[in-house]
Amino acid sequence: MTESPLLRDPARAWAPYRPNTEAPWDLAAVSHLHRRAGFCPPWHLLQRDLAAGPDEALDRLFAGEEIAADGSTAAEFAVAMDTMGSQLAASSDVGRIRGAWLYRMIHTPHPLRERMTLFWHNHFATSNEKVRNPVLMQRQNDLFREHALGDFGALLTRIGRDPAMLLWLDASANRKARPNENYAREVMELFALGRGQYTELDIREAARAFTGWFVVRDAFRTVVAEHDDQPKTLLGKTGTFDGDDIPSILLGRPACASFVCGKLFRAFVSEVDPPSEALIEPLAAAFRDSGYQVAVPLRMILASTLFHDTAMRRRRVKSPVEYAVGLVRSLEIFRPTVGVDALADACALMGQSLFTPPSVAGWEGGPAWVDTSTMLARANFALALLSPVDKLIGGRCDPLALAGRAGAKPGRETARHFVALLAQDAFSPAIVGRLTADPGGNDEAAAARDVVSRIAASPEYQLA
């Protein structure tokens, strides 16, 4: 794996990308952008954005599409999904909201927003295993979507009052006589600053500020008698702070922007190249200057020369949700789509059960996604998806017909089409040769399914 020299040259790294002979705007480049900023799109969207160029493609990712994959307008889709999410949450079955969210990711007209919703779900990791209330989990999910690309300070403030988060981190102990340090510790270590940027005294003082914040009948409530209204000193600031004062104090620390931008780097650039402080600082400075608008450093990343360096491709392991949703979208399994409850179960077997991250630190990601059982689960999912008889996940995809609509004839052209759609430049010439060799026999539909399943199970396809 070759390291990009741009990682050691921040000025060139974050300069706007302009296609050139070493990094042309070709099918591999447009697929790289969609693979990272969305969930892998259908062939016609790749072709459209390939023709449009990188600037227009990126603008469209931030603005969203006008029409969802189910044929509804973006506004209609949002209303329908919000309604469905609320209704299914009321069933008290967390499995139903898992399925609803996956349906939303598959059909969304705004894949970047859903991708960032997933990012915040892992950043502010909260599990229904302890909350035990799908209604509150769905509300938190809606909160992440509302602020997915917006004001990080507003999100940090709202999450402090979020009932699911308060229950997850033991709000019942937020009492004046016994301040609860759980949320105070996590907001500094995992949500805003990172380790080494605060003291144990800062945690105790922040915990005093959060006293009196409770959840009553599934809603946020303040109990004045349980709030410590005496002066506190936190990160060099002194005052009679309450919980609403803490986010602005954290945002005032230089480490806050660097911490969040470091996580964006890992999610959108590379899991295998630890960034230097010098590389992160231009992103962090732009983040701070914008008033902590998430879209600013994110656009800077996705529009950069570093992001489009060919050496930066496939330096992340796809999460199970990225893998499954991306494969469904690439194969245009929309109407009808897969059974989303079964899809949620399949993602859990691959290691990612939505709404139940393993700890407050979320899913570790990277190599942790990969072991013998999870790779077998991915391969089995791909086989089920392509099965003509599977009733829960399969029976809805005809790869031969899909390739035909893109103009590919049965046989080698179909195989070449799926290499271009799913893998682009991922394979060596020898692997491409084996995948596109004449399969022989007369069952062309089975041959098409075979080549897709072999690509989907390959080590290269597991990387984003």
Side-chain angles (χ1 to χ4, degrees):
M1 186 176 286
T2 304
E3 181 184 284
S4 170
L6 293 173
L7 292 165
R8 296 185 295 278
D9 188 346
R12 287 182 58 212
W14 303 124
Y17 163 66
R18 293 291 175 261
N20 55 66
T21 53
E22 293 182 350
W25 181 247
D26 54 13
L27 184 63
V30 70
S31 298
H32 170 66
L33 176 62
H34 278 276
R35 196 165 55 242
R36 294 285 179 84
F39 297 99
C40 298
W43 180 250
H44 71 277
L45 292 183
L46 289 176
Q47 294 300 309
R48 180 199 64 186
D49 286 350
L50 176 59
D55 293 341
E56 190 172 326
L58 190 58
D59 287 345
R60 192 175 285 114
L61 278 166
F62 274 89
E65 306 282 348
E66 294 181 356
I67 303 296
D70 66 358
S72 60
T73 67
E76 292 169 343
F77 182 79
V79 170
M81 291 300 100
D82 289 346
T83 301
M84 183 170 72
S86 298
Q87 291 176 341
L88 293 178
S91 71
S92 299
D93 180 356
V94 71
R96 304 302 304 278
I97 62 172
R98 286 190 186 113
W101 191 10
L102 287 166
Y103 184 94
R104 190 166 195 156
M105 289 189 226
I106 290 169
H107 293 88
T108 179
H110 207 315
L112 179 56
R113 185 178 299 284
E114 286 309 313
R115 188 62 179 273
M116 283 303 297
T117 303
L118 187 61
F119 174 87
W120 294 125
H121 178 47
N122 199 40
H123 182 83
F124 295 107
T126 306
S127 174
N128 190 63
E129 287 291 309
K130 185 173 180 179
V131 177
R132 297 186 179 280
N133 190 326
V135 171
L136 299 186
M137 296 301 296
Q138 182 61 48
R139 288 181 193 166
Q140 187 187 77
N141 186 255
D142 295 338
L143 175 66
F144 293 151
R145 186 168 296 102
E146 177 186 351
H147 293 280
L149 293 160
D151 185 336
F152 177 70
L155 177 56
L156 195 60
T157 300
R158 292 278 300 277
I159 200 68
R161 288 171 165 253
D162 177 65
M165 178 62 77
L166 287 169
L167 292 176
W168 171 235
L169 294 176
D170 305 311
S172 60
N174 280 343
R175 298 182 182 280
K176 184 176 181 178
R178 299 187 308 278
N180 169 34
E181 296 182 4
N182 279 3
Y183 183 72
R185 182 180 301 279
E186 305 310 352
V187 75
M188 293 188 203
E189 179 177 329
L190 297 175
F191 302 163
L193 299 179
R195 290 181 178 175
Q197 300 298 327
Y198 55 87
T199 67
E200 289 299 313
L201 178 60
D202 291 324
I203 291 172
R204 291 195 292 273
E205 294 291 86
R208 290 176 57 209
F210 286 113
T211 52
W213 283 20
F214 296 97
V215 177
V216 179
R217 296 179 181 174
D218 294 346
F220 171 79
R221 292 285 186 275
T222 56
V223 177
V224 174
E226 289 291 351
H227 175 62
D228 180 345
D229 60 0
Q230 295 302 301
K232 309 155 184 86
T233 298
L234 169 67
L235 295 168
K237 305 286 185 181
T238 300
T240 54
F241 304 131
D242 65 17
D244 283 334
D245 295 313
I246 304 303
S248 63
I249 295 173
L250 300 179
L251 294 173
R253 307 291 288 186
C256 183
S258 301
F259 177 71
V260 176
C261 288
K263 295 194 77 170
L264 290 174
F265 181 93
R266 178 176 167 84
F268 289 92
V269 182
S270 174
E271 292 173 332
V272 297
D273 301 291
S276 65
E277 291 183 13
L279 187 64
I280 292 297
E281 181 49 32
L283 296 174
F287 195 24
R288 286 189 291 267
D289 291 346
S290 72
Y292 285 91
Q293 295 300 309
V294 175
V296 170
L298 185 55
R299 178 180 280 272
M300 198 168 160
I301 288 171
L302 298 176
S304 70
T305 300
L306 176 63
F307 179 84
H308 288 281
D309 187 339
T310 56
M312 300 310 295
R313 293 174 190 163
R314 298 182 179 84
R315 298 179 88 82
R316 292 184 58 255
V317 179
K318 291 175 183 172
S319 72
V321 168
E322 290 175 62
Y323 173 83
V325 172
L327 196 53
V328 171
R329 284 172 57 86
S330 291
L331 297 177
E332 302 182 36
I333 310 173
F334 294 127
R335 291 185 286 182
T337 192
V338 300
V340 288
D341 292 343
L343 181 61
D345 292 341
C347 288
L349 289 173
M350 298 180 218
Q352 189 171 28
S353 183
L354 292 173
F355 297 106
T356 53
S359 73
V360 72
W363 290 280
E364 183 179 343
W369 291 126
V370 180
D371 62 34
T372 305
S373 63
T374 57
M375 287 302 97
L376 182 60
R378 290 189 185 211
N380 285 338
F381 167 75
L383 288 172
L385 192 68
L386 294 161
S387 166
V389 297
D390 185 290
K391 293 182 179 178
L392 295 177
I393 293 177
R396 300 158 176 85
C397 176
D398 182 347
L400 188 63
L402 183 66
R405 291 198 292 276
K409 297 177 182 178
R412 291 181 176 177
E413 281 193 22
T414 289
R416 282 196 287 269
H417 170 74
F418 285 116
V419 170
L421 172 65
L422 301 173
Q424 303 90 42
D425 59 348
F427 296 135
S428 67
I431 294 176
V432 173
R434 289 196 292 273
L435 286 167
T436 59
D438 188 345
N442 297 320
D443 193 341
E444 293 167 338
R449 290 195 297 271
D450 178 65
V451 75
V452 173
S453 65
R454 289 163 63 195
I455 293 171
S458 68
E460 293 84 351
Y461 188 75
Q462 313 313 312
L463 303 176

PDB file of all heavy atoms in Angstrom, residues 371-391:
ATOM      1  N   ASP A 371     -13.249 -10.410  10.425  1.00  0.00           N
ATOM      2  CA  ASP A 371     -12.787 -11.687  10.973  1.00  0.00           C
ATOM      3  C   ASP A 371     -13.478 -12.796  10.190  1.00  0.00           C
ATOM      4  O   ASP A 371     -14.281 -12.529   9.277  1.00  0.00           O
ATOM      5  CB  ASP A 371     -13.037 -11.807  12.486  1.00  0.00           C
ATOM      6  CG  ASP A 371     -14.506 -11.744  12.858  1.00  0.00           C
ATOM      7  OD1 ASP A 371     -15.342 -12.223  12.074  1.00  0.00           O
ATOM      8  OD2 ASP A 371     -14.823 -11.229  13.944  1.00  0.00           O
ATOM      9  N   THR A 372     -13.173 -14.021  10.541  1.00  0.00           N
ATOM     10  CA  THR A 372     -13.681 -15.142   9.749  1.00  0.00           C
ATOM     11  C   THR A 372     -15.205 -15.161   9.693  1.00  0.00           C
ATOM     12  O   THR A 372     -15.805 -15.338   8.624  1.00  0.00           O
ATOM     13  CB  THR A 372     -13.184 -16.470  10.354  1.00  0.00           C
ATOM     14  OG1 THR A 372     -11.761 -16.425  10.431  1.00  0.00           O
ATOM     15  CG2 THR A 372     -13.613 -17.640   9.486  1.00  0.00           C
ATOM     16  N   SER A 373     -15.851 -14.930  10.833  1.00  0.00           N
ATOM     17  CA  SER A 373     -17.315 -15.029  10.861  1.00  0.00           C
ATOM     18  C   SER A 373     -17.975 -13.863  10.135  1.00  0.00           C
ATOM     19  O   SER A 373     -18.975 -14.054   9.432  1.00  0.00           O
ATOM     20  CB  SER A 373     -17.805 -15.115  12.306  1.00  0.00           C
ATOM     21  OG  SER A 373     -17.467 -13.940  13.015  1.00  0.00           O
ATOM     22  N   THR A 374     -17.435 -12.650  10.293  1.00  0.00           N
ATOM     23  CA  THR A 374     -18.076 -11.512   9.629  1.00  0.00           C
ATOM     24  C   THR A 374     -17.851 -11.558   8.114  1.00  0.00           C
ATOM     25  O   THR A 374     -18.729 -11.151   7.349  1.00  0.00           O
ATOM     26  CB  THR A 374     -17.573 -10.175  10.195  1.00  0.00           C
ATOM     27  OG1 THR A 374     -16.146 -10.103  10.055  1.00  0.00           O
ATOM     28  CG2 THR A 374     -17.945 -10.027  11.656  1.00  0.00           C
ATOM     29  N   MET A 375     -16.686 -12.049   7.682  1.00  0.00           N
ATOM     30  CA  MET A 375     -16.472 -12.162   6.236  1.00  0.00           C
ATOM     31  C   MET A 375     -17.374 -13.248   5.643  1.00  0.00           C
ATOM     32  O   MET A 375     -17.892 -13.104   4.525  1.00  0.00           O
ATOM     33  CB  MET A 375     -14.998 -12.487   5.949  1.00  0.00           C
ATOM     34  CG  MET A 375     -14.052 -11.327   6.159  1.00  0.00           C
ATOM     35  SD  MET A 375     -14.433  -9.845   5.143  1.00  0.00           S
ATOM     36  CE  MET A 375     -15.361  -8.871   6.322  1.00  0.00           C
ATOM     37  N   LEU A 376     -17.596 -14.315   6.399  1.00  0.00           N
ATOM     38  CA  LEU A 376     -18.530 -15.345   5.934  1.00  0.00           C
ATOM     39  C   LEU A 376     -19.947 -14.775   5.866  1.00  0.00           C
ATOM     40  O   LEU A 376     -20.693 -15.051   4.924  1.00  0.00           O
ATOM     41  CB  LEU A 376     -18.493 -16.541   6.891  1.00  0.00           C
ATOM     42  CG  LEU A 376     -19.384 -17.725   6.527  1.00  0.00           C
ATOM     43  CD1 LEU A 376     -19.000 -18.296   5.165  1.00  0.00           C
ATOM     44  CD2 LEU A 376     -19.318 -18.816   7.606  1.00  0.00           C
ATOM     45  N   ALA A 377     -20.297 -13.936   6.862  1.00  0.00           N
ATOM     46  CA  ALA A 377     -21.626 -13.321   6.854  1.00  0.00           C
ATOM     47  C   ALA A 377     -21.792 -12.394   5.650  1.00  0.00           C
ATOM     48  O   ALA A 377     -22.869 -12.334   5.038  1.00  0.00           O
ATOM     49  CB  ALA A 377     -21.848 -12.553   8.152  1.00  0.00           C
ATOM     50  N   ARG A 378     -20.744 -11.670   5.284  1.00  0.00           N
ATOM     51  CA  ARG A 378     -20.833 -10.795   4.105  1.00  0.00           C
ATOM     52  C   ARG A 378     -21.019 -11.625   2.837  1.00  0.00           C
ATOM     53  O   ARG A 378     -21.842 -11.292   1.974  1.00  0.00           O
ATOM     54  CB  ARG A 378     -19.569  -9.924   3.998  1.00  0.00           C
ATOM     55  CG  ARG A 378     -19.468  -8.866   5.077  1.00  0.00           C
ATOM     56  CD  ARG A 378     -18.317  -7.892   4.815  1.00  0.00           C
ATOM     57  NE  ARG A 378     -18.144  -6.942   5.908  1.00  0.00           N
ATOM     58  CZ  ARG A 378     -17.707  -5.700   5.779  1.00  0.00           C
ATOM     59  NH1 ARG A 378     -17.363  -5.245   4.589  1.00  0.00           N
ATOM     60  NH2 ARG A 378     -17.582  -4.896   6.814  1.00  0.00           N
ATOM     61  N   ALA A 379     -20.244 -12.697   2.717  1.00  0.00           N
ATOM     62  CA  ALA A 379     -20.366 -13.536   1.518  1.00  0.00           C
ATOM     63  C   ALA A 379     -21.751 -14.180   1.451  1.00  0.00           C
ATOM     64  O   ALA A 379     -22.362 -14.239   0.374  1.00  0.00           O
ATOM     65  CB  ALA A 379     -19.276 -14.609   1.531  1.00  0.00           C
ATOM     66  N   ASN A 380     -22.256 -14.631   2.585  1.00  0.00           N
ATOM     67  CA  ASN A 380     -23.591 -15.234   2.595  1.00  0.00           C
ATOM     68  C   ASN A 380     -24.669 -14.208   2.257  1.00  0.00           C
ATOM     69  O   ASN A 380     -25.665 -14.530   1.592  1.00  0.00           O
ATOM     70  CB  ASN A 380     -23.875 -15.853   3.973  1.00  0.00           C
ATOM     71  CG  ASN A 380     -23.112 -17.152   4.186  1.00  0.00           C
ATOM     72  OD1 ASN A 380     -22.709 -17.802   3.216  1.00  0.00           O
ATOM     73  ND2 ASN A 380     -22.905 -17.527   5.435  1.00  0.00           N
ATOM     74  N   PHE A 381     -24.474 -12.965   2.727  1.00  0.00           N
ATOM     75  CA  PHE A 381     -25.437 -11.913   2.386  1.00  0.00           C
ATOM     76  C   PHE A 381     -25.455 -11.687   0.878  1.00  0.00           C
ATOM     77  O   PHE A 381     -26.533 -11.577   0.259  1.00  0.00           O
ATOM     78  CB  PHE A 381     -25.093 -10.613   3.109  1.00  0.00           C
ATOM     79  CG  PHE A 381     -25.851  -9.429   2.579  1.00  0.00           C
ATOM     80  CD1 PHE A 381     -27.199  -9.264   2.888  1.00  0.00           C
ATOM     81  CD2 PHE A 381     -25.241  -8.495   1.747  1.00  0.00           C
ATOM     82  CE1 PHE A 381     -27.921  -8.192   2.380  1.00  0.00           C
ATOM     83  CE2 PHE A 381     -25.950  -7.424   1.240  1.00  0.00           C
ATOM     84  CZ  PHE A 381     -27.289  -7.265   1.555  1.00  0.00           C
ATOM     85  N   ALA A 382     -24.276 -11.607   0.259  1.00  0.00           N
ATOM     86  CA  ALA A 382     -24.208 -11.388  -1.184  1.00  0.00           C
ATOM     87  C   ALA A 382     -24.884 -12.534  -1.942  1.00  0.00           C
ATOM     88  O   ALA A 382     -25.630 -12.303  -2.914  1.00  0.00           O
ATOM     89  CB  ALA A 382     -22.756 -11.237  -1.628  1.00  0.00           C
ATOM     90  N   LEU A 383     -24.655 -13.752  -1.498  1.00  0.00           N
ATOM     91  CA  LEU A 383     -25.301 -14.901  -2.155  1.00  0.00           C
ATOM     92  C   LEU A 383     -26.816 -14.844  -1.994  1.00  0.00           C
ATOM     93  O   LEU A 383     -27.563 -15.113  -2.944  1.00  0.00           O
ATOM     94  CB  LEU A 383     -24.751 -16.202  -1.561  1.00  0.00           C
ATOM     95  CG  LEU A 383     -23.305 -16.561  -1.948  1.00  0.00           C
ATOM     96  CD1 LEU A 383     -22.820 -17.755  -1.140  1.00  0.00           C
ATOM     97  CD2 LEU A 383     -23.200 -16.836  -3.449  1.00  0.00           C
ATOM     98  N   ALA A 384     -27.273 -14.488  -0.794  1.00  0.00           N
ATOM     99  CA  ALA A 384     -28.721 -14.379  -0.572  1.00  0.00           C
ATOM    100  C   ALA A 384     -29.320 -13.278  -1.428  1.00  0.00           C
ATOM    101  O   ALA A 384     -30.412 -13.433  -2.000  1.00  0.00           O
ATOM    102  CB  ALA A 384     -28.993 -14.106   0.909  1.00  0.00           C
ATOM    103  N   LEU A 385     -28.611 -12.156  -1.521  1.00  0.00           N
ATOM    104  CA  LEU A 385     -29.104 -11.023  -2.310  1.00  0.00           C
ATOM    105  C   LEU A 385     -29.292 -11.410  -3.776  1.00  0.00           C
ATOM    106  O   LEU A 385     -30.226 -10.952  -4.450  1.00  0.00           O
ATOM    107  CB  LEU A 385     -28.104  -9.872  -2.198  1.00  0.00           C
ATOM    108  CG  LEU A 385     -28.531  -8.493  -2.696  1.00  0.00           C
ATOM    109  CD1 LEU A 385     -29.620  -7.919  -1.803  1.00  0.00           C
ATOM    110  CD2 LEU A 385     -27.322  -7.545  -2.710  1.00  0.00           C
ATOM    111  N   LEU A 386     -28.404 -12.273  -4.271  1.00  0.00           N
ATOM    112  CA  LEU A 386     -28.446 -12.651  -5.686  1.00  0.00           C
ATOM    113  C   LEU A 386     -29.255 -13.914  -5.935  1.00  0.00           C
ATOM    114  O   LEU A 386     -29.463 -14.304  -7.094  1.00  0.00           O
ATOM    115  CB  LEU A 386     -27.009 -12.851  -6.188  1.00  0.00           C
ATOM    116  CG  LEU A 386     -26.185 -11.560  -6.188  1.00  0.00           C
ATOM    117  CD1 LEU A 386     -24.709 -11.870  -6.233  1.00  0.00           C
ATOM    118  CD2 LEU A 386     -26.592 -10.669  -7.343  1.00  0.00           C
ATOM    119  N   SER A 387     -29.702 -14.529  -4.859  1.00  0.00           N
ATOM    120  CA  SER A 387     -30.485 -15.748  -5.027  1.00  0.00           C
ATOM    121  C   SER A 387     -31.836 -15.445  -5.667  1.00  0.00           C
ATOM    122  O   SER A 387     -32.535 -14.521  -5.246  1.00  0.00           O
ATOM    123  CB  SER A 387     -30.713 -16.401  -3.654  1.00  0.00           C
ATOM    124  OG  SER A 387     -31.727 -17.379  -3.758  1.00  0.00           O
ATOM    125  N   PRO A 388     -32.224 -16.207  -6.685  1.00  0.00           N
ATOM    126  CA  PRO A 388     -33.533 -15.958  -7.307  1.00  0.00           C
ATOM    127  C   PRO A 388     -34.691 -16.497  -6.471  1.00  0.00           C
ATOM    128  O   PRO A 388     -35.854 -16.210  -6.776  1.00  0.00           O
ATOM    129  CB  PRO A 388     -33.422 -16.696  -8.644  1.00  0.00           C
ATOM    130  CG  PRO A 388     -32.413 -17.771  -8.423  1.00  0.00           C
ATOM    131  CD  PRO A 388     -31.448 -17.235  -7.411  1.00  0.00           C
ATOM    132  N   VAL A 389     -34.395 -17.246  -5.414  1.00  0.00           N
ATOM    133  CA  VAL A 389     -35.482 -17.877  -4.655  1.00  0.00           C
ATOM    134  C   VAL A 389     -35.557 -17.421  -3.199  1.00  0.00           C
ATOM    135  O   VAL A 389     -36.555 -17.690  -2.533  1.00  0.00           O
ATOM    136  CB  VAL A 389     -35.354 -19.416  -4.696  1.00  0.00           C
ATOM    137  CG1 VAL A 389     -35.497 -19.924  -6.112  1.00  0.00           C
ATOM    138  CG2 VAL A 389     -34.020 -19.863  -4.099  1.00  0.00           C
ATOM    139  N   ASP A 390     -34.518 -16.729  -2.691  1.00  0.00           N
ATOM    140  CA  ASP A 390     -34.546 -16.276  -1.302  1.00  0.00           C
ATOM    141  C   ASP A 390     -35.714 -15.301  -1.128  1.00  0.00           C
ATOM    142  O   ASP A 390     -35.830 -14.318  -1.849  1.00  0.00           O
ATOM    143  CB  ASP A 390     -33.225 -15.588  -0.953  1.00  0.00           C
ATOM    144  CG  ASP A 390     -33.137 -15.188   0.505  1.00  0.00           C
ATOM    145  OD1 ASP A 390     -33.874 -14.253   0.908  1.00  0.00           O
ATOM    146  OD2 ASP A 390     -32.344 -15.791   1.234  1.00  0.00           O
ATOM    147  N   LYS A 391     -36.586 -15.569  -0.153  1.00  0.00           N
ATOM    148  CA  LYS A 391     -37.802 -14.764  -0.013  1.00  0.00           C
ATOM    149  C   LYS A 391     -37.595 -13.497   0.815  1.00  0.00           C
ATOM    150  O   LYS A 391     -38.366 -12.546   0.691  1.00  0.00           O
ATOM    151  CB  LYS A 391     -38.906 -15.615   0.622  1.00  0.00           C
ATOM    152  CG  LYS A 391     -39.378 -16.754  -0.274  1.00  0.00           C
ATOM    153  CD  LYS A 391     -40.495 -17.533   0.381  1.00  0.00           C
ATOM    154  CE  LYS A 391     -40.961 -18.664  -0.543  1.00  0.00           C
ATOM    155  NZ  LYS A 391     -42.036 -19.485   0.072  1.00  0.00           N
TER     156      LYS A 391
END
